Amino acid sequence: MPTDNLDLVSRLSQDEKTLKEHSLRCISPNDAKYGEKSKALVPYLSADAEWRAFALVQRTLLETRIEYEQAEQWNLDEVDQALEKISPLNMALLEDKVTHHDQLAVLDEIGRHVFPETKALLHPGTTSYDIVDTARSYLFKKAWNEVIRPEVGKAIDKLCNLAEKSLNMIMVGRTHLQDTSPITFGGMLAGYAARFTNRLKRCDTDFKDLRGKISGIVGTGASIEMVIGEGKATSFELNVLNKLGLKADYTATQIVQKERLADIGHSLTTLMLVLRDFANDIRILYSSAIGEVTSRDNAKRLGGSSADGLKNNPINYENIRGKAKVVESGMTVLYDMIVSDLQRDLSNSVEARYQPQQMMAETYEAFCRLNKALPQLSTNEDRMAANLIPIRENPSEAMTAILKGEGWVHSTYGTGHEFVKEMGKITKSERSKLLDTALEDSEFRSLYQTLPQDKRDILNGQLEKYAGNTVNKAKLNIDYAKAIIGR
């Protein structure tokens, strides 16, 4: 290959080159390597988003003051025009170089574009964390509803569609990594779709319950009443928060209490652990030893290994599996954020710069990767059929269940379970089929002749008849999942 084809930098504009060179100097891999994958979350979880949300909360406070006859419409119009001009970058520079305080920087930046009389109406008896915690709850809630949830719903929908196409595709069931009675591939996928849906509902509940506060420096509302009027702190807080789609945290001190952030973290973690379970199952089925699934794009491309050019590695599923642990690690921070000395200290303020934002970003990226991988997921039905042959020849669990259903007891071996175990030992040593071995026993042979045809068929390896209610359960899971995600 000519080396000039590998000079991708030369294809970039100067702005693109500058931005990408900057990203390589970032510490977080979400920026340095995977920024393109998480850019949909920039309007919600970035520093730019926070600065803009801080200004929005100040705007909402002013809007509500009009309702209390403490500001006029022209003041709000001025701020609305200012919000179109403000610079988050200038806010950051003001905080670093001038104010050394984020909310004072916000006020100064808005103040550059409005009359002093309007600036004086901003931040009415509020403290910085009335703004910060309220803004973050607002952003987190929107990020879930507008970006992350739709991506999770898309994955559930794709799983349901794949499940519907493979409802009757039987494959080996495996417990303790040992082969046993069959399942259907569609049933497996439908089960995961329902599990994801359960977790999605849990996330819906917890994100919906995020709270804000407009209650002053220690949460008493006294400073709000000094500005808005005696006895009006509660109604003012509710009116402001209602405009932002939030409820009030009546346990708030200087800060919104952090248990609800731990709740959303827990919901995201369990969602990701279900995803990890799914990714790992696909990874195992993908393995050379089993080979029942593959990815069409990986199989076509190959070269997933730098050493072995013919390896077809389950790249996406292994990446997803690793991301789940990264999300889980964020819970340590969220749990610690619940603790605050008296009305506030800076410990959880520092921690809140990182979590749950990073957990949300990793969850989103993982489901984006899943949605990329699922359309490429391909089953190897020949391999599934071949792996099922040993179970067809030795349907030991099915035989045990049939004998238990007949209430049969062998005069020498005892219960059906013990009989099958003894027959299995002989079968393994002689490398014969289980039914052939069992039929050499006269007592079993007499029973076998009385069995209904479908049970005899199962013992003869027609495991399609030993699927139980798996198809009905799969359909129930699919219907449930699609109902929740609105498909």
Side-chain angles (χ1 to χ4, degrees):
M1 175 184 293
T3 55
D4 59 351
N5 290 339
L6 297 179
D7 182 11
L8 302 185
V9 172
S10 64
R11 305 179 193 178
L12 300 175
S13 69
Q14 186 57 49
D15 286 347
E16 289 172 330
K17 181 183 176 187
T18 301
L19 287 170
K20 290 187 180 295
E21 285 177 338
H22 169 74
S23 73
L24 291 178
R25 293 192 292 272
C26 294
I27 295 173
S28 170
N30 284 332
D31 298 320
K33 291 189 73 174
Y34 306 112
E36 284 296 310
K37 293 181 173 62
S38 58
K39 64 182 180 180
L41 287 172
V42 168
Y44 308 89
L45 303 184
S46 65
D48 181 277
E50 280 202 349
W51 286 116
R52 294 182 186 280
F54 296 160
L56 174 64
V57 175
Q58 293 290 354
R59 186 259 181 213
T60 307
L61 289 166
L62 180 61
E63 179 186 16
T64 308
R65 291 194 74 176
I66 294 175
E67 298 167 12
Y68 286 75
E69 299 182 347
Q70 294 193 343
E72 297 182 25
Q73 185 60 43
W74 71 267
N75 300 123
L76 183 61
D77 292 341
E78 266 202 330
V79 170
D80 282 339
Q81 293 170 15
L83 294 190
E84 296 177 2
K85 303 173 186 175
I86 59 172
S87 166
L89 176 57
N90 199 52
M91 292 182 197
L93 292 172
L94 284 169
E95 180 191 20
D96 184 43
K97 306 294 185 183
V98 180
T99 67
H100 306 295
H101 190 286
D102 54 4
Q103 298 313 308
L104 293 179
V106 173
L107 296 174
D108 280 353
E109 175 61 13
I110 296 174
R112 292 197 307 124
H113 306 284
V114 300
F115 286 115
E117 294 87 348
T118 297
K119 180 182 178 183
L121 294 171
L122 302 175
H123 211 40
T126 44
T127 186
S128 60
Y129 266 72
D130 286 330
I131 313 303
V132 173
D133 279 350
T134 297
R136 285 177 176 161
S137 291
Y138 169 79
L139 289 172
F140 296 164
K141 189 174 180 180
K142 284 176 68 68
W144 169 254
N145 288 323
E146 297 178 8
V147 179
I148 305 172
R149 189 188 194 279
E151 199 67 26
V152 177
K154 190 187 303 181
I156 292 170
D157 188 48
K158 289 182 178 181
L159 269 180
C160 288
N161 292 336
L162 286 171
E164 288 176 326
K165 295 175 182 177
S166 52
L167 282 177
N168 297 298
M169 186 185 296
I170 69 167
M171 62 187 293
V172 174
R174 297 173 174 95
T175 61
H176 310 282
L177 295 180
Q178 304 298 304
D179 295 352
T180 187
S181 293
I183 62 171
T184 69
F185 189 58
M188 171 186 160
L189 297 181
Y192 272 112
R195 290 175 68 188
F196 286 136
T197 303
N198 288 335
R199 295 298 88 208
L200 178 140
K201 288 178 64 180
R202 184 70 257 173
C203 288
D204 282 344
T205 298
D206 291 331
F207 275 96
K208 183 179 180 180
D209 199 37
L210 287 175
R211 304 293 177 101
K213 73 173 286 271
I214 304 294
S215 53
I217 193 165
V218 287
T220 62
S223 57
I224 305 296
E225 293 197 351
M226 291 298 101
V227 178
I228 306 301
E230 186 176 351
K232 296 179 179 180
T234 298
S235 66
F236 183 78
E237 178 179 45
L238 290 176
N239 287 339
V240 171
L241 295 178
N242 184 60
K243 293 179 177 67
L244 297 169
L246 297 172
K247 300 176 184 177
D249 177 10
Y250 291 132
T251 69
T253 53
Q254 189 173 104
I255 58 174
V256 171
Q257 306 300 353
K258 300 300 185 276
E259 295 89 55
R260 289 181 177 85
L261 291 183
D263 289 339
I264 66 169
H266 175 74
S267 295
L268 290 171
T269 298
T270 55
L271 171 64
M272 283 295 290
L273 288 175
V274 174
L275 179 56
R276 181 182 182 183
D277 195 22
F278 173 73
N280 198 53
D281 279 357
I282 296 299
R283 176 173 166 266
I284 292 171
L285 295 177
Y286 205 115
S287 66
S288 298
I290 296 176
E292 293 179 353
V293 303
T294 189
S295 289
R296 284 186 292 271
D297 54 347
N298 286 359
K300 182 178 180 180
R301 181 175 65 247
L302 293 181
S305 165
S306 62
D308 187 342
L310 291 181
K311 283 181 70 183
N312 173 12
N313 295 338
I315 298 169
N316 283 314
Y317 297 102
E318 290 184 342
N319 271 278
I320 289 169
R321 186 173 180 266
K323 281 183 176 291
K325 194 64 179 178
V326 175
V327 172
E328 182 183 357
S329 70
M331 287 307 302
T332 303
V333 174
L334 290 181
Y335 287 143
D336 193 64
M337 284 168 61
I338 293 172
V339 179
S340 180
D341 290 348
L342 303 176
Q343 282 64 59
R344 184 205 174 192
D345 70 88
L346 279 176
S347 300
N348 55 26
S349 300
V350 172
E351 293 164 331
R353 299 170 191 167
Y354 301 92
Q355 300 298 356
Q357 296 93 317
Q358 296 301 310
M359 296 170 73
M360 294 169 70
E362 291 293 332
T363 299
Y364 174 70
E365 289 175 16
F367 275 93
C368 286
R369 189 176 285 269
L370 180 64
N371 280 317
K372 175 184 176 183
L374 285 176
Q376 299 296 329
L377 185 64
S378 176
T379 55
N380 187 336
E381 294 186 55
D382 290 341
R383 194 67 175 268
M384 284 185 177
N387 290 342
L388 200 53
I389 289 174
I391 306 301
R392 292 187 186 277
E393 294 180 346
N394 300 285
S396 55
E397 189 275 329
M399 182 179 284
T400 300
I402 288 170
L403 295 180
K404 187 177 288 288
E406 297 296 320
W408 184 73
V409 178
H410 192 276
S411 62
T412 301
Y413 301 119
T415 65
H417 182 276
E418 294 301 317
F419 173 79
V420 173
K421 184 165 67 173
E422 293 302 319
M423 294 302 103
K425 292 176 183 177
I426 298 171
T427 297
K428 287 191 174 185
S429 64
E430 297 181 355
R431 296 185 179 179
S432 58
K433 294 182 180 180
L434 179 61
L435 180 59
D436 292 344
T437 301
L439 286 172
E440 293 178 7
D441 181 273
S442 59
E443 292 182 41
F444 176 83
R445 188 165 57 250
S446 297
L447 172 69
Y448 179 77
Q449 293 171 353
T450 67
L451 291 176
Q453 186 61 47
D454 60 340
K455 291 184 178 180
R456 282 192 274 178
D457 290 343
I458 291 169
L459 294 177
N460 275 285
Q462 295 186 37
L463 294 178
E464 290 79 3
K465 295 185 177 182
Y466 196 61
N469 65 343
T470 185
V471 172
N472 288 335
K473 285 173 63 177
K475 289 179 178 178
L476 289 172
N477 283 331
I478 292 168
D479 289 346
Y480 162 67
K482 287 193 170 186
I484 297 301
I485 63 172
R487 295 294 195 275

